[in-house]
Structures are given as structure tokens and as C-alpha cells.
Coordinates of all heavy atoms in Angstrom, one line a residue:
M14 N -21.9 43.3 71.0 CA -21.6 41.8 70.9 C -22.8 41.0 71.3 O -23.4 41.3 72.4 CB -20.4 41.5 71.7 CG -19.9 40.1 71.5 SD -18.5 39.7 72.6 CE -17.2 40.8 72.1
S15 N -23.2 40.0 70.5 CA -24.3 39.2 70.9 C -24.0 38.3 72.1 O -22.8 38.0 72.4 CB -24.8 38.4 69.8 OG -23.9 37.3 69.6
E16 N -25.1 37.9 72.8 CA -24.9 37.0 74.0 C -24.2 35.7 73.6 O -23.3 35.2 74.3 CB -26.2 36.7 74.6 CG -26.1 36.1 76.0 CD -27.4 35.9 76.6 OE1 -28.3 36.7 76.4 OE2 -27.6 34.8 77.2
K17 N -24.6 35.2 72.3 CA -24.0 34.0 71.9 C -22.5 34.1 71.7 O -21.7 33.3 72.1 CB -24.6 33.6 70.5 CG -24.3 32.2 70.0 CD -25.0 31.9 68.8 CE -24.6 30.6 68.2 NZ -25.1 30.4 66.8
V18 N -22.0 35.2 71.0 CA -20.6 35.4 70.8 C -19.9 35.6 72.2 O -18.8 35.0 72.4 CB -20.4 36.6 69.9 CG1 -18.9 37.0 69.9 CG2 -20.9 36.4 68.5
A19 N -20.5 36.3 73.1 CA -19.9 36.5 74.4 C -19.7 35.2 75.1 O -18.7 34.9 75.7 CB -20.8 37.4 75.2
N20 N -20.7 34.3 75.0 CA -20.6 33.0 75.6 C -19.5 32.1 75.0 O -18.7 31.4 75.7 CB -21.9 32.2 75.5 CG -22.9 32.8 76.4 OD1 -22.6 33.5 77.4 ND2 -24.2 32.5 76.2
I21 N -19.3 32.2 73.7 CA -18.2 31.5 73.0 C -16.9 32.0 73.4 O -16.0 31.2 73.8 CB -18.4 31.6 71.5 CG1 -19.6 30.7 71.0 CG2 -17.1 31.0 70.8 CD1 -20.0 30.9 69.6
D22 N -16.7 33.3 73.5 CA -15.5 33.9 73.9 C -15.2 33.5 75.4 O -14.0 33.2 75.7 CB -15.5 35.4 73.8 CG -15.4 35.9 72.4 OD1 -15.0 35.1 71.6 OD2 -15.7 37.1 72.2
E23 N -16.2 33.5 76.2 CA -16.0 33.1 77.6 C -15.5 31.6 77.6 O -14.6 31.3 78.4 CB -17.4 33.2 78.3 CG -17.3 33.4 79.7 CD -18.7 33.7 80.3 OE1 -19.2 34.8 80.1 OE2 -19.2 32.7 80.9
K24 N -16.1 30.7 76.8 CA -15.7 29.3 76.8 C -14.3 29.2 76.3 O -13.5 28.4 76.9 CB -16.7 28.5 76.0 CG -18.0 28.3 76.7 CD -19.0 27.5 75.9 CE -20.1 27.1 76.8 NZ -21.3 27.3 76.7
I25 N -14.0 29.9 75.2 CA -12.6 29.8 74.7 C -11.6 30.3 75.8 O -10.5 29.7 75.9 CB -12.5 30.6 73.4 CG1 -13.2 29.8 72.3 CG2 -11.0 30.8 73.0 CD1 -13.3 30.5 70.9
G26 N -12.0 31.3 76.5 CA -11.2 31.8 77.5 C -10.9 30.8 78.7 O -9.9 31.0 79.4
S27 N -11.7 29.8 78.8 CA -11.5 28.8 79.9 C -10.6 27.7 79.4 O -10.3 26.8 80.2 CB -12.9 28.3 80.4 OG -13.4 27.4 79.4
V28 N -10.2 27.7 78.2 CA -9.4 26.6 77.6 C -7.9 26.8 78.0 O -7.4 28.0 78.0 CB -9.5 26.5 76.1 CG1 -8.5 25.6 75.5 CG2 -10.9 26.0 75.7
K29 N -7.3 25.7 78.3 CA -5.9 25.9 78.7 C -5.0 25.3 77.6 O -5.3 24.4 76.9 CB -5.6 25.0 80.0 CG -4.4 25.3 80.7 CD -4.4 24.5 82.0 CE -3.0 24.6 82.7 NZ -2.9 23.8 83.9
F30 N -3.8 26.0 77.4 CA -2.9 25.6 76.3 C -1.5 25.3 76.9 O -1.1 25.9 77.8 CB -2.7 26.8 75.3 CG -3.9 27.1 74.5 CD1 -4.8 28.1 75.0 CD2 -4.3 26.5 73.4 CE1 -5.9 28.5 74.3 CE2 -5.4 26.8 72.7 CZ -6.2 27.8 73.1
Y31 N -0.9 24.2 76.3 CA 0.5 24.0 76.6 C 1.2 24.3 75.3 O 1.2 23.5 74.3 CB 0.7 22.5 76.9 CG 0.0 22.1 78.2 CD1 -1.3 21.4 78.2 CD2 0.5 22.5 79.4 CE1 -1.9 21.1 79.3 CE2 -0.2 22.1 80.6 CZ -1.4 21.5 80.5 OH -2.0 21.2 81.7
V32 N 1.7 25.5 75.2 CA 2.2 26.0 74.0 C 3.6 25.5 73.6 O 4.5 25.6 74.5 CB 2.2 27.6 74.0 CG1 2.9 28.2 72.8 CG2 0.8 28.1 74.2
D33 N 3.8 25.0 72.4 CA 5.1 24.6 71.9 C 5.7 25.9 71.3 O 5.3 26.3 70.2 CB 4.9 23.6 70.8 CG 6.2 23.0 70.3 OD1 7.2 23.6 70.6 OD2 6.1 22.0 69.6
E34 N 6.6 26.5 72.0 CA 7.2 27.8 71.5 C 8.1 27.6 70.4 O 8.5 28.5 69.7 CB 7.9 28.5 72.7 CG 7.0 28.9 73.9 CD 6.1 30.0 73.6 OE1 6.1 30.6 72.5 OE2 5.2 30.3 74.4
A35 N 8.6 26.3 70.2 CA 9.6 26.1 69.2 C 9.1 25.6 67.8 O 9.8 25.7 66.8 CB 10.6 25.0 69.7
F36 N 7.8 25.2 67.7 CA 7.4 24.6 66.5 C 5.9 24.8 66.2 O 5.1 24.6 67.1 CB 7.6 23.1 66.6 CG 7.3 22.3 65.3 CD1 8.2 22.3 64.2 CD2 6.1 21.6 65.2 CE1 7.8 21.6 63.1 CE2 5.8 20.9 64.1 CZ 6.7 20.9 63.0
S37 N 5.6 25.3 65.0 CA 4.2 25.5 64.7 C 3.6 24.3 64.0 O 4.2 23.7 63.0 CB 4.1 26.7 63.7 OG 2.7 26.7 63.2
H38 N 2.5 23.8 64.5 CA 1.9 22.6 63.8 C 1.0 23.0 62.6 O 0.4 22.1 62.0 CB 1.1 21.8 64.9 CG -0.1 22.6 65.4 ND1 0.0 23.6 66.3 CD2 -1.4 22.4 65.2 CE1 -1.2 24.1 66.6 NE2 -2.1 23.4 65.9
L39 N 0.9 24.2 62.3 CA 0.2 24.7 61.2 C 1.1 25.5 60.3 O 1.9 26.3 60.7 CB -0.9 25.7 61.7 CG -1.9 25.2 62.7 CD1 -2.7 26.3 63.3 CD2 -2.8 24.1 62.1
K40 N 0.9 25.2 59.0 CA 1.8 25.9 58.0 C 1.0 26.2 56.7 O 0.1 25.4 56.4 CB 3.0 25.1 57.6 CG 4.0 25.0 58.7 CD 5.3 24.2 58.3 CE 6.3 24.2 59.4 NZ 5.9 23.5 60.6
I41 N 1.4 27.3 56.1 CA 0.8 27.5 54.7 C 1.8 26.8 53.7 O 3.0 27.0 53.8 CB 0.9 29.1 54.4 CG1 0.0 29.8 55.4 CG2 0.5 29.4 53.0 CD1 -1.5 29.7 55.3
K42 N 1.2 26.1 52.8 CA 2.0 25.3 51.8 C 2.6 26.3 50.8 O 3.8 26.2 50.5 CB 1.1 24.3 51.1 CG 0.7 23.1 51.9 CD 0.0 22.1 50.9 CE -0.9 21.3 51.7 NZ -1.8 20.5 50.8
D43 N 1.8 27.2 50.3 CA 2.3 28.0 49.2 C 1.7 29.4 49.3 O 0.5 29.6 49.1 CB 1.9 27.4 47.9 CG 2.2 28.3 46.7 OD1 3.1 29.1 46.8 OD2 1.6 28.1 45.6
E44 N 2.5 30.4 49.7 CA 2.0 31.7 49.9 C 1.4 32.3 48.6 O 0.4 33.1 48.8 CB 3.2 32.6 50.3 CG 3.5 32.5 51.8 CD 4.3 33.7 52.3 OE1 5.0 34.4 51.5 OE2 4.2 34.0 53.5
K45 N 1.8 31.9 47.5 CA 1.3 32.5 46.2 C -0.2 32.1 46.1 O -1.0 32.9 45.6 CB 2.0 31.9 45.0 CG 3.4 32.6 44.8 CD 4.0 32.1 43.5 CE 5.5 32.2 43.6 NZ 6.2 30.9 43.3
S46 N -0.6 31.0 46.6 CA -2.0 30.6 46.5 C -2.8 31.5 47.4 O -4.0 31.8 47.1 CB -2.2 29.1 47.0 OG -1.6 28.3 46.1
C47 N -2.3 31.9 48.5 CA -3.0 32.8 49.4 C -3.2 34.2 48.7 O -4.3 34.8 48.9 CB -2.2 33.0 50.7 SG -2.2 31.6 51.7
F48 N -2.2 34.6 48.0 CA -2.4 35.9 47.3 C -3.5 35.8 46.2 O -4.2 36.8 46.0 CB -1.1 36.4 46.6 CG 0.0 36.7 47.6 CD1 1.3 36.2 47.5 CD2 -0.2 37.5 48.7 CE1 2.3 36.5 48.4 CE2 0.7 37.8 49.6 CZ 2.0 37.3 49.5
A49 N -3.6 34.6 45.6 CA -4.6 34.4 44.6 C -6.0 34.2 45.2 O -7.0 34.2 44.5 CB -4.2 33.2 43.7
C50 N -6.1 33.9 46.5 CA -7.3 33.5 47.2 C -8.0 34.8 47.6 O -7.6 35.4 48.5 CB -7.0 32.6 48.4 SG -8.4 32.2 49.4
R51 N -9.0 35.2 46.8 CA -9.6 36.5 47.0 C -10.5 36.5 48.3 O -10.4 37.5 49.1 CB -10.5 36.8 45.8 CG -9.7 37.2 44.6 CD -10.6 37.6 43.5 NE -9.7 38.1 42.4 CZ -9.6 39.4 42.2 NH1 -10.3 40.3 42.9 NH2 -8.8 39.8 41.3
E52 N -11.2 35.5 48.6 CA -12.2 35.5 49.7 C -11.4 35.3 51.1 O -11.9 35.8 52.1 CB -13.2 34.5 49.6 CG -14.1 34.6 48.3 CD -15.0 35.7 48.3 OE1 -15.5 36.0 49.4 OE2 -15.2 36.3 47.3
K53 N -10.3 34.6 51.0 CA -9.6 34.3 52.3 C -10.5 33.8 53.4 O -10.6 34.4 54.5 CB -8.8 35.5 52.7 CG -7.7 35.9 51.7 CD -6.8 37.0 52.2 CE -5.6 37.3 51.3 NZ -5.8 37.1 49.8
P54 N -11.2 32.7 53.2 CA -12.1 32.3 54.2 C -11.5 31.9 55.5 O -12.1 31.9 56.6 CB -12.8 31.0 53.6 CG -11.9 30.6 52.5 CD -11.2 31.9 52.0
C55 N -10.2 31.6 55.5 CA -9.5 31.2 56.8 C -9.6 32.4 57.8 O -9.5 32.2 59.0 CB -8.0 30.9 56.5 SG -7.1 32.2 55.8
L56 N -9.8 33.6 57.3 CA -9.9 34.7 58.2 C -11.2 34.7 59.0 O -11.4 35.4 60.0 CB -9.8 36.1 57.5 CG -8.5 36.3 56.7 CD1 -8.5 37.6 56.0 CD2 -7.3 36.2 57.6
N57 N -12.1 33.9 58.5 CA -13.5 33.8 59.1 C -13.8 32.4 59.7 O -14.6 32.4 60.7 CB -14.6 34.1 58.1 CG -14.4 35.6 57.6 OD1 -14.3 36.5 58.4 ND2 -14.3 35.7 56.3
F58 N -13.3 31.3 59.2 CA -13.8 30.0 59.7 C -13.2 29.6 60.9 O -13.6 28.7 61.6 CB -13.8 28.9 58.6 CG -12.5 28.6 58.0 CD1 -11.5 28.1 58.8 CD2 -12.2 28.7 56.7 CE1 -10.2 27.7 58.3 CE2 -11.0 28.3 56.1 CZ -10.0 27.8 57.0
C59 N -12.0 30.1 61.3 CA -11.3 29.6 62.5 C -11.9 30.2 63.7 O -12.0 31.4 63.9 CB -9.8 30.0 62.4 SG -9.0 29.6 63.9
P60 N -12.4 29.4 64.6 CA -13.1 29.9 65.8 C -12.1 30.6 66.8 O -12.5 31.4 67.7 CB -13.7 28.6 66.5 CG -12.8 27.5 66.0 CD -12.4 27.9 64.6
A61 N -10.8 30.4 66.6 CA -9.8 31.0 67.5 C -9.1 32.1 66.9 O -8.2 32.7 67.4 CB -8.8 29.9 67.9
N62 N -9.5 32.5 65.7 CA -8.9 33.7 65.0 C -7.4 33.5 64.8 O -6.6 34.4 65.0 CB -9.2 35.0 65.8 CG -8.9 36.2 65.0 OD1 -8.9 36.2 63.7 ND2 -8.6 37.3 65.7
V63 N -7.0 32.2 64.4 CA -5.6 31.9 64.3 C -5.0 32.6 63.0 O -3.9 33.0 63.0 CB -5.4 30.3 64.2 CG1 -4.1 29.9 63.6 CG2 -5.6 29.7 65.6
Y64 N -5.8 32.6 62.0 CA -5.3 33.2 60.7 C -5.7 34.7 60.6 O -6.8 35.1 60.8 CB -6.0 32.5 59.5 CG -5.6 31.0 59.5 CD1 -6.5 30.1 60.1 CD2 -4.3 30.6 59.1 CE1 -6.1 28.7 60.2 CE2 -4.0 29.2 59.2 CZ -4.9 28.3 59.7 OH -4.5 27.0 59.8
R65 N -4.7 35.5 60.4 CA -4.8 36.9 60.4 C -4.1 37.5 59.2 O -3.2 36.9 58.7 CB -4.3 37.5 61.7 CG -5.0 36.9 62.9 CD -4.5 37.5 64.2 NE -5.0 36.6 65.3 CZ -4.8 36.9 66.6 NH1 -4.1 37.9 66.9 NH2 -5.3 36.1 67.5
L66 N -4.6 38.7 58.8 CA -4.0 39.3 57.7 C -2.9 40.2 58.1 O -3.0 41.1 58.9 CB -5.1 40.2 57.0 CG -4.9 40.4 55.5 CD1 -4.7 39.1 54.7 CD2 -6.1 41.2 55.0
G67 N -1.7 39.9 57.5 CA -0.5 40.7 57.8 C -0.2 41.7 56.7 O -0.9 41.9 55.8
E68 N 1.0 42.2 56.8 CA 1.5 43.2 55.9 C 1.5 42.6 54.5 O 1.9 41.4 54.3 CB 2.9 43.6 56.3 CG 3.1 45.1 56.2 CD 4.4 45.5 56.8 OE1 4.5 45.7 58.0 OE2 5.4 45.6 56.0
G69 N 1.2 43.4 53.5 CA 1.2 42.9 52.1 C 0.2 41.7 51.8 O 0.5 40.9 51.0
E70 N -0.8 41.6 52.7 CA -1.9 40.6 52.5 C -1.3 39.2 52.8 O -1.9 38.2 52.3 CB -2.5 40.6 51.1 CG -3.2 41.9 50.8 CD -4.6 41.8 50.3 OE1 -5.0 40.7 49.8 OE2 -5.3 42.8 50.4
R71 N -0.2 39.1 53.5 CA 0.3 37.8 53.9 C -0.6 37.2 55.0 O -1.1 38.0 55.9 CB 1.7 37.9 54.4 CG 2.7 38.1 53.3 CD 4.1 38.0 53.9 NE 4.4 36.6 54.4 CZ 5.4 36.4 55.2 NH1 6.2 37.3 55.7 NH2 5.6 35.1 55.6
I72 N -0.8 35.9 55.1 CA -1.5 35.3 56.1 C -0.6 35.0 57.3 O 0.4 34.3 57.1 CB -2.2 34.0 55.6 CG1 -3.2 34.3 54.5 CG2 -2.9 33.3 56.8 CD1 -4.4 35.1 54.9
L73 N -0.9 35.5 58.4 CA -0.1 35.2 59.6 C -0.8 34.1 60.4 O -2.1 34.0 60.4 CB 0.0 36.4 60.5 CG 0.5 37.7 59.9 CD1 0.5 38.8 60.9 CD2 1.9 37.5 59.4
I74 N -0.1 33.2 61.0 CA -0.7 32.1 61.8 C -0.3 32.2 63.3 O 0.9 32.1 63.6 CB -0.1 30.7 61.2 CG1 -0.4 30.6 59.8 CG2 -0.8 29.6 62.0 CD1 0.1 29.3 59.1
V75 N -1.3 32.4 64.1 CA -1.1 32.5 65.5 C -1.4 31.1 66.0 O -2.5 30.9 66.7 CB -2.0 33.6 66.2 CG1 -1.6 33.7 67.6 CG2 -1.8 34.9 65.4
Y76 N -0.5 30.1 65.8 CA -0.8 28.7 66.0 C -1.0 28.4 67.5 O -1.6 27.5 67.9 CB 0.3 27.8 65.5 CG 1.6 27.9 66.2 CD1 1.9 27.1 67.3 CD2 2.6 28.9 65.9 CE1 3.1 27.2 68.0 CE2 3.7 29.0 66.7 CZ 4.0 28.2 67.7 OH 5.2 28.3 68.4
Q77 N -0.4 29.3 68.4 CA -0.5 29.1 69.8 C -2.0 29.1 70.3 O -2.3 28.5 71.3 CB 0.2 30.2 70.5 CG 1.7 30.3 70.3 CD 2.1 31.2 69.1 OE1 1.3 31.4 68.2 NE2 3.3 31.6 69.1
A78 N -2.9 29.7 69.5 CA -4.3 29.8 70.0 C -5.2 28.7 69.4 O -6.4 28.6 69.6 CB -4.9 31.1 69.6
C79 N -4.6 27.8 68.6 CA -5.4 26.8 67.9 C -6.1 25.8 68.8 O -5.5 25.3 69.8 CB -4.4 25.9 67.0 SG -5.2 24.6 66.1
L80 N -7.4 25.6 68.5 CA -8.3 24.8 69.3 C -8.3 23.3 68.8 O -9.1 22.5 69.3 CB -9.7 25.4 69.4 CG -9.8 26.7 70.0 CD1 -11.2 27.3 69.8 CD2 -9.6 26.6 71.5
E81 N -7.6 23.1 67.7 CA -7.5 21.7 67.1 C -8.8 21.2 66.7 O -9.1 20.0 66.8 CB -6.8 20.8 68.1 CG -5.4 21.2 68.5 CD -4.8 20.4 69.6 OE1 -5.1 19.2 69.7 OE2 -4.0 21.0 70.4
C82 N -9.7 22.1 66.2 CA -11.0 21.7 65.7 C -10.9 21.0 64.3 O -11.8 20.3 63.9 CB -11.9 22.9 65.6 SG -11.6 24.0 64.3
G83 N -9.8 21.3 63.6 CA -9.7 20.6 62.3 C -10.4 21.3 61.1 O -10.3 20.9 60.0
S84 N -11.0 22.4 61.4 CA -11.8 23.1 60.3 C -10.9 23.6 59.1 O -11.3 23.6 58.0 CB -12.5 24.3 60.8 OG -13.4 24.0 61.8
C85 N -9.7 23.9 59.4 CA -8.8 24.5 58.4 C -8.3 23.4 57.4 O -7.9 23.7 56.3 CB -7.7 25.3 58.9 SG -6.7 24.6 60.2
R86 N -8.5 22.1 57.8 CA -8.2 21.0 56.9 C -9.1 21.0 55.7 O -8.8 20.5 54.6 CB -8.3 19.7 57.6 CG -7.3 19.5 58.7 CD -7.5 18.1 59.3 NE -6.5 17.2 58.9 CZ -6.3 16.0 59.5 NH1 -7.1 15.7 60.5 NH2 -5.4 15.2 59.1
V87 N -10.4 21.4 56.0 CA -11.4 21.3 54.9 C -11.8 22.7 54.4 O -12.4 22.8 53.4 CB -12.6 20.5 55.4 CG1 -12.3 19.1 55.6 CG2 -13.2 21.1 56.7
G88 N -11.5 23.7 55.2 CA -12.1 25.1 54.9 C -11.3 25.9 53.9 O -11.8 26.8 53.2
C89 N -10.1 25.5 53.7 CA -9.2 26.3 52.7 C -9.6 25.8 51.3 O -9.3 24.6 51.0 CB -7.8 26.1 53.0 SG -6.7 26.8 51.7
P90 N -10.0 26.6 50.4 CA -10.4 26.2 49.1 C -9.3 25.7 48.2 O -9.4 24.9 47.3 CB -11.1 27.4 48.4 CG -10.6 28.6 49.2 CD -10.3 28.1 50.6
F91 N -8.0 26.1 48.6 CA -6.9 25.6 47.9 C -6.1 24.5 48.6 O -5.1 24.1 48.1 CB -5.9 26.8 47.7 CG -6.4 27.9 46.7 CD1 -7.2 28.9 47.2 CD2 -6.0 27.9 45.4 CE1 -7.7 29.8 46.3 CE2 -6.4 28.8 44.5 CZ -7.3 29.8 45.0
K92 N -6.7 24.0 49.6 CA -6.1 22.9 50.4 C -4.6 23.3 50.7 O -3.7 22.6 50.5 CB -6.1 21.6 49.7 CG -7.5 21.1 49.3 CD -8.2 20.5 50.5 CE -9.6 20.0 50.2 NZ -10.6 20.9 50.7
N93 N -4.5 24.6 51.1 CA -3.2 25.2 51.2 C -2.6 25.2 52.7 O -1.6 25.9 52.9 CB -3.3 26.6 50.7 CG -1.9 27.2 50.3 OD1 -1.0 26.4 50.0 ND2 -1.8 28.5 50.4
I94 N -3.4 24.6 53.6 CA -2.9 24.6 55.0 C -2.5 23.2 55.4 O -3.2 22.2 55.2 CB -4.1 25.1 55.9 CG1 -4.5 26.5 55.6 CG2 -3.6 25.0 57.4 CD1 -5.7 27.0 56.3
L95 N -1.2 23.1 55.8 CA -0.7 21.9 56.4 C -1.1 21.8 57.8 O -0.7 22.7 58.6 CB 0.8 21.8 56.2 CG 1.4 21.4 54.9 CD1 2.9 21.6 54.9 CD2 1.0 20.0 54.6
W96 N -1.9 20.9 58.2 CA -2.5 20.8 59.5 C -2.0 19.5 60.2 O -2.1 18.4 59.6 CB -4.0 20.8 59.4 CG -4.7 20.9 60.8 CD1 -5.2 22.1 61.3 CD2 -5.1 19.8 61.7 NE1 -5.8 21.8 62.5 CE2 -5.7 20.4 62.7 CE3 -4.9 18.5 61.6 CZ2 -6.2 19.7 63.8 CZ3 -5.3 17.7 62.7 CH2 -6.0 18.3 63.8
D97 N -1.6 19.6 61.4 CA -1.3 18.4 62.1 C -1.6 18.7 63.6 O -1.8 19.9 64.0 CB 0.2 18.0 62.0 CG 0.5 16.6 62.2 OD1 -0.4 15.9 62.7 OD2 1.6 16.1 61.9
Y98 N -1.6 17.7 64.4 CA -1.7 18.0 65.9 C -0.4 18.5 66.4 O 0.6 18.2 65.8 CB -2.1 16.7 66.6 CG -3.5 16.2 66.4 CD1 -3.8 15.1 65.7 CD2 -4.5 16.9 67.0 CE1 -5.1 14.7 65.5 CE2 -5.9 16.5 66.9 CZ -6.1 15.4 66.1 OH -7.4 15.0 65.9
P99 N -0.5 19.3 67.4 CA 0.8 19.7 68.0 C 1.6 18.5 68.5 O 1.1 17.4 68.7 CB 0.4 20.6 69.2 CG -1.0 21.0 68.9 CD -1.6 19.8 68.1
R100 N 2.9 18.7 68.7 CA 3.8 17.7 69.1 C 3.3 17.2 70.5 O 2.6 17.9 71.2 CB 5.2 18.2 69.2 CG 5.8 18.6 67.9 CD 7.3 18.8 68.0 NE 7.6 19.9 68.8 CZ 8.9 20.3 69.0 NH1 9.9 19.7 68.4 NH2 9.1 21.4 69.8
G101 N 3.7 15.9 70.8 CA 3.2 15.3 72.1 C 3.5 16.2 73.3 O 4.6 16.7 73.4
G102 N 2.5 16.3 74.1 CA 2.6 17.1 75.3 C 2.2 18.5 75.2 O 2.1 19.2 76.2
F103 N 2.0 18.9 73.9 CA 1.6 20.3 73.7 C 0.2 20.4 73.1 O -0.4 19.4 72.7 CB 2.6 21.0 72.7 CG 4.0 21.1 73.1 CD1 5.0 20.3 72.6 CD2 4.3 22.0 74.1 CE1 6.3 20.4 73.1 CE2 5.6 22.2 74.6 CZ 6.6 21.4 74.1
G104 N -0.3 21.6 73.1 CA -1.6 21.8 72.5 C -2.7 22.2 73.5 O -2.4 22.6 74.6
V105 N -3.9 22.0 73.1 CA -5.1 22.5 73.9 C -5.4 21.4 74.9 O -5.3 20.2 74.7 CB -6.2 22.8 72.9 CG1 -6.9 21.6 72.3 CG2 -7.3 23.7 73.6
N106 N -5.9 21.9 76.0 CA -6.4 21.0 77.1 C -7.8 21.4 77.5 O -8.0 22.4 78.1 CB -5.4 21.0 78.3 CG -5.8 20.1 79.4 OD1 -6.7 19.3 79.2 ND2 -5.2 20.2 80.5
Y107 N -8.8 20.7 77.0 CA -10.2 21.0 77.3 C -10.5 20.6 78.7 O -10.3 19.4 79.1 CB -11.1 20.4 76.3 CG -11.0 21.0 74.9 CD1 -10.3 20.3 73.9 CD2 -11.6 22.2 74.6 CE1 -10.2 20.9 72.6 CE2 -11.4 22.8 73.4 CZ -10.8 22.1 72.4 OH -10.6 22.7 71.2
K108 N -11.1 21.5 79.4 CA -11.5 21.2 80.8 C -12.6 20.2 80.9 O -12.6 19.4 81.8 CB -11.9 22.5 81.4 CG -11.5 22.8 82.8 CD -11.8 24.2 83.1 CE -11.8 24.6 84.5 NZ -12.2 26.0 84.7
F109 N -13.6 20.3 80.0 CA -14.8 19.5 80.2 C -15.0 18.5 79.0 O -16.0 18.3 78.5 CB -16.1 20.4 80.2 CG -16.0 21.4 81.3 CD1 -15.8 22.7 81.0 CD2 -16.1 21.0 82.6 CE1 -15.7 23.7 82.1 CE2 -16.0 21.9 83.7 CZ -15.8 23.3 83.4
G110 N -13.9 17.9 78.6 CA -14.1 16.8 77.6 C -13.2 17.0 76.4 O -12.3 17.7 76.4
Ligands
SF4_205 FE1 -4.5 31.0 51.9 FE2 -6.3 29.0 52.3 FE3 -6.4 31.2 53.7 FE4 -7.0 31.3 51.1 S1 -8.1 30.2 52.7 S2 -5.8 32.8 52.2 S3 -5.5 29.8 50.3 S4 -4.8 29.7 53.8
SF4_206 FE1 -8.4 27.3 63.7 FE2 -9.5 24.9 64.1 FE3 -7.6 25.3 62.2 FE4 -7.0 25.4 64.8 S1 -7.7 23.6 63.7 S2 -6.3 26.8 63.2 S3 -8.8 26.3 65.7 S4 -9.7 26.2 62.3

């Protein structure tokens, strides 16, 4: 692992989350579009590795780890991700800004 990656992981590890266990603020609009999406860039552009490949090539969303960077609003070529901020009182809490 490069030093740069190690530093990013370290920084992400210092972030605190108030997890909303009852509601995901991220959703896939249409699973069929994901099956048609060959490159599946969401598996790479998310800094928190929120999007993962599940059984039968389904996209799983580990929304609890979302850093609220907003990249998935623009990174999905099919505009297939419904993105919103977590409900009030939940989400990421950055220590330094
Ligand atoms: Fe689905 Fe968008 Fe991910 Fe492609 S990039 S697999 S369409 S969520
Ligand atoms: Fe990942 Fe950023 Fe999208 Fe959250 S907002 S799921 S951290 S790309």
C-alpha cells in the first residue's frame, strides 16, 4: 500500500459517524441499469467504498460509511443513484472542518 493511500485510510478512520440505522440516504433508482452498466464506476469513485458488488452483480450500498462528498451524484453514467444528505442529526462529523 502506498503512503498516500495509507494516509487517506488513516484520515477516513478519524471521521466520526452518527449512523441512521433505519433509513438509507442513498438508493439505486433502477437495478436493471446497473446490470447494463459494464464499467460500474461506482465501485471505484467512492472514497469510502460504499458501493460494492454483491451476488449476481447487484450493487450493494454500505450507506453507513458515506462521507457525503457528493461524487456519486455526478459519477454514475446512468444518473442512477438517488443521493441526499442523511436525515437531520445523522451522518458524518468531520473533526477538522
Ligand atoms: Fe449502477 Fe451507476 Fe454503479 Fe453503474 S455506476 S453500476 S449504473 S450505480
Ligand atoms: Fe461515496 Fe461520496 Fe457518494 Fe458518499 S457521497 S456514497 S462517500 S461517492
Side-chain angles (χ1 to χ4, degrees):
M14 187 185 296
S15 75
E16 193 181 322
K17 190 177 173 190
V18 171
N20 287 341
I21 290 170
D22 283 345
E23 209 173 282
K24 285 184 169 116
I25 288 176
S27 73
V28 167
K29 194 172 172 184
F30 295 92
Y31 297 100
V32 175
D33 185 347
E34 299 289 355
F36 183 80
S37 171
H38 64 289
L39 305 167
K40 288 186 178 61
I41 299 287
K42 286 186 205 167
D43 174 22
E44 279 199 333
K45 283 186 208 127
S46 295
C47 291
F48 294 132
C50 178
R51 289 182 169 260
E52 302 288 326
K53 295 186 174 32
C55 59
L56 301 178
N57 297 309
F58 63 60
C59 175
N62 194 24
V63 163
Y64 300 96
R65 302 180 192 183
L66 206 53
E68 226 173 273
E70 300 229 343
R71 285 188 66 198
I72 299 295
L73 306 176
I74 304 178
V75 186
Y76 71 93
Q77 296 90 334
C79 175
L80 296 167
E81 298 169 34
C82 72
S84 299
C85 50
R86 294 178 105 166
V87 292
C89 172
F91 289 84
K92 303 281 177 259
N93 198 28
I94 297 171
L95 277 174
W96 188 96
D97 205 347
Y98 286 107
R100 297 191 294 180
F103 295 108
V105 71
N106 182 8
Y107 290 103
K108 218 171 167 182
F109 304 109

